[in-house]
Amino acid sequence: MIKVEKVKKKKELVNQETVCLANGLEVSKFENFKKGSDFLKEPLASELKNESDHFTNDAVQLLKFHGSYQQDNRENRKPGKSKDWQMMLRLRSPGGEIPGKLFLSLDELSDKLGNGTLRVTTRQAFQMHGIRKDNLKEVIKSIVNSMGSTLAACGDINRNVMAPAAPFETSEYINARTLAVKVADLLTPVAGQGTFLELWADGDLEYTIKPDKEIEENRKLQFKENVFSGTKQEPLYGSTYLPRKFKCAVTVPGDNSVDLLTNDIGIVAFTSKEGDFEGCNFYIGGGMGRTHNNEETFARIADPLGYVEKEDTYELIQSIVAIQRDYGDRKSRKNSRMKYLLHRKGIKWFKKILLDKYFRKEIKPLRKESENKLIDYLGWHKQNEDYFFVGLPLLSGRLSGKKKSLIRDLVEENDLNLRLTPNQDILLCNIPNKNKSKIKKALKKIGYDNLNDINEIQRHALACPALPLCGLAMTEAERILPEVLTRIENLLTDMNIEKTILFRMTGCPNGCTRPYMAELALVGSGQNKYQLWLGGSKNLQRLAKPYLQRMELDDLEKTIQPLLKFWKKSSAEKDFGDFINNQKESFITKLLSEIN
């Protein structure tokens, strides 16, 4: 934290260990716990050596910074018996890039030491489930040895940086993918990375994430004035890191595959006609997580900040992170995301303090962007003159069984790389022209026989893992998504509605699948009960609104049928979310009360 003017004498009575030095506000015990952890080490390091089958709560909190959550399988709970403890492990993969060698390692590890599945997340990373505590080091070390990492995939820190997954070799897409990797490297913790390698790779510095020269130079700005945390070992984050998780996404104008406005920092990279990176539009303060029955928590889309030239891009990113570090709420974790700071203080305050104290450069008005679209890259595409890539839909991102085995064989036999999309799908990349027919034939064996005719409602639907492993889940999501989609699709067919609906589903209000941006979303609020959210947009530019608090899942069809009926009658040419948004809330509520 940055030291500022001393508070008045009456505030000097407050123990400085419980006060954020930047703003004089009280902090929670957890903040002091992070400070005393020796940069994310203890008690995790000690507990890795004991014979317990699980970590204590303190170690679990640090474990998140290293990319893992401790879970127990609720369906295996028995009275008087220990919980079925296991670890979920998430990778760091900027822009969703997974080299073939790394995928082969993950595939083997998931079978040998996990539950046999891999899962694509909505932030373009693979997750493994079912890892036992005594196998966790072997798994992470193997991932590191395969040139992967799980560092900062979770925890109060910048997480996986998103970017359009498609390996198009146009300058604008290359620039966006490159920028995502550079942002990830820019915001990699210094001392935290040292702890990570010490715990999981036996201190082998060969595996240190090495930024390029441009980022190395820009990281020196972490020691500049107010951007400096005051802690040399961790110049940007400090010993307490951030108040809560932090998310960044990069894209090109018009491509909203990354759900840009749901991020703490959303970046649109501009490229000149000559192919040079020019600069970026910045959006700040987005976030999805909320808590039921707590109006102080809410989903929020990002505010436009402005445009900066390329030479100032990395300094601005670090400055924004530093403001959240210094002024984010460290007392209440429910209100600690940067979106709440923007909500409390406003974009004008944020911009003023940014320019006065952290970033004394010009921020210009936003540059004009192309109209945004949700792009998924499914099906076959030309990568360049010599190669194709193919996008394979994975419902809820779950890769298992024959599908997982065959994809492994294709990757190994054809020396392919993978890219993961924010829509939980997989792109097989670098397919030689001569191998296209052979791979196309192989994919038919696992259901990918006609990628030009993908079920529309399934194409963009998302669901979180929920039960039985997620500790926050109130009800089902991933396991029942196919059934729910079939029910909605049958209803649309029966009513002769040809348009589809952007649908998302979660088992709790935490918003991991970004349900609050969907045209129609179910958000778990109890066993087999869901909040009904309506009115987001297909291009992910508008928040939905909650209309029902605890809808029984069995009542889904009869609840939404009156909406669909009126939509078809009055505005069938419009998207469903636009139709909802154009009506008065009282009218939609009235329609929802009609039971046919």
Side-chain angles (χ1 to χ4, degrees), residues 505-556:
M505 186 175 193
T506 61
C508 84
N510 225 35
C512 293
T513 60
R514 305 184 289 274
Y516 310 115
M517 303 299 287
E519 294 184 291
L520 168 63
L522 299 182
V523 176
S525 59
Q527 188 173 3
N528 295 321
K529 293 181 175 64
Y530 297 83
Q531 283 187 335
L532 179 68
W533 287 70
L534 302 166
S537 61
K538 273 199 169 64
N539 63 352
L540 306 172
Q541 297 290 292
R542 181 178 64 234
L543 280 174
K545 296 177 182 178
Y547 281 90
L548 297 177
Q549 295 301 314
R550 291 174 67 83
M551 183 194 74
E552 292 279 355
L553 187 59
D554 289 345
D555 293 337
L556 176 61

Side-chain angles (χ1 to χ4, degrees), residues 48 53 108 209 217 247 258 273 292 316 358 422 427 477 540 564 577:
L48 273 171
D53 64 351
E108 181 179 357
I209 295 168
E217 285 300 310
K247 299 178 178 180
V258 298
K273 293 181 180 179
H292 287 321
L316 178 56
Y358 296 85
L427 311 184
L540 306 172
L564 300 178

Side-chain angles (χ1 to χ4, degrees), residues 416-428:
L416 307 182
N417 293 327
L418 288 80
R419 285 187 175 271
L420 312 180
T421 80
N423 223 55
Q424 300 180 291
D425 300 320
I426 284 181
L427 311 184
L428 298 182

Side-chain angles (χ1 to χ4, degrees), residues 343-541:
H343 175 74
R344 290 192 302 269
K345 298 287 191 178
I347 186 67
K348 289 184 179 179
W349 172 90
F350 193 99
K351 195 168 184 178
K352 183 177 188 305
I353 200 165
L354 173 68
L355 296 173
D356 286 351
K357 294 180 63 177
Y358 296 85
F359 179 79
R360 297 186 177 95
K361 303 286 184 67
E362 182 183 11
I363 298 178
K364 300 177 181 178
L366 291 178
R367 279 181 62 169
K368 186 177 180 180
E369 302 172 21
S370 308
E371 182 180 354
N372 280 289
K373 295 181 181 179
L374 170 55
I375 305 175
D376 55 36
Y377 321 115
L378 297 181
W380 287 90
H381 303 267
K382 264 286 190 182
Q383 188 169 326
N384 55 35
E385 290 185 2
D386 301 316
Y387 295 94
F388 280 90
F389 75 90
V390 61
L392 305 178
L394 279 181
L395 197 59
S396 298
R398 186 69 65 180
L399 185 60
S400 60
K402 291 182 180 180
K403 191 171 288 188
K404 177 166 163 285
S405 298
L406 189 138
I407 288 176
R408 177 203 166 85
D409 291 344
L410 291 177
V411 169
E412 190 169 28
E413 293 168 7
N414 298 276
D415 194 24
L416 307 182
N417 293 327
L418 288 80
R419 285 187 175 271
L420 312 180
T421 80
N423 223 55
Q424 300 180 291
D425 300 320
I426 284 181
L427 311 184
L428 298 182
C429 307
N430 303 346
I431 299 172
N433 292 344
K434 63 180 182 180
N435 294 355
K436 179 183 176 183
S437 296
K438 178 182 70 172
I439 291 176
K440 209 170 185 180
K441 185 176 180 180
L443 290 173
K444 288 183 179 180
K445 298 177 183 178
I446 52 174
Y448 295 126
D449 52 339
N450 190 355
L451 292 172
N452 294 320
D453 188 25
I454 300 169
N455 181 297
E456 279 300 313
I457 196 163
Q458 290 187 18
R459 187 174 191 124
H460 293 146
L462 300 178
C464 68
L467 296 176
L469 292 176
C470 179
L472 298 175
M474 299 176 178
T475 189
E476 298 280 1
E478 178 187 339
R479 294 195 296 192
I480 66 168
L481 179 64
E483 173 196 341
V484 172
L485 290 180
T486 298
R487 290 168 60 184
I488 296 173
E489 187 176 26
N490 288 343
L491 185 57
L492 292 173
T493 300
D494 291 344
M495 298 181 69
N496 295 315
I497 296 174
E498 296 182 0
K499 273 185 170 287
T500 189
I501 294 175
L502 178 61
F503 175 80
R504 292 175 175 178
M505 186 175 193
T506 61
C508 84
N510 225 35
C512 293
T513 60
R514 305 184 289 274
Y516 310 115
M517 303 299 287
E519 294 184 291
L520 168 63
L522 299 182
V523 176
S525 59
Q527 188 173 3
N528 295 321
K529 293 181 175 64
Y530 297 83
Q531 283 187 335
L532 179 68
W533 287 70
L534 302 166
S537 61
K538 273 199 169 64
N539 63 352
L540 306 172
Q541 297 290 292

Side-chain angles (χ1 to χ4, degrees), residues 7 31-32 54 64 145 158 236 252 259 271 309 364 395 471 482 572:
V7 293
E31 294 300 316
N32 290 316
H54 66 283
K64 295 176 184 178
N145 288 341
N158 179 61
L236 180 61
V252 303
D259 234 342
T271 297
E309 303 294 342
K364 300 177 181 178
L395 197 59

Side-chain angles (χ1 to χ4, degrees), residues 215-277:
I215 296 303
E216 286 283 8
E217 285 300 310
N218 275 280
R219 282 172 69 102
K220 293 177 182 178
L221 296 173
Q222 295 177 6
F223 290 93
K224 178 184 175 183
E225 298 180 80
N226 293 307
V227 174
F228 181 43
S229 69
T231 303
K232 291 182 180 180
Q233 299 96 315
E234 202 68 274
L236 180 61
Y237 291 116
S239 60
T240 53
Y241 295 86
L242 295 179
R244 199 71 189 271
K245 58 188 173 184
F246 198 89
K247 299 178 178 180
C248 300
V250 180
T251 193
V252 303
D255 185 333
N256 199 22
S257 59
V258 298
D259 234 342
L260 190 79
L261 300 181
T262 64
N263 289 270
D264 293 272
I265 301 179
I267 302 170
V268 180
F270 287 83
T271 297
S272 70
K273 293 181 180 179
E274 295 73 32
D276 298 321
F277 171 43

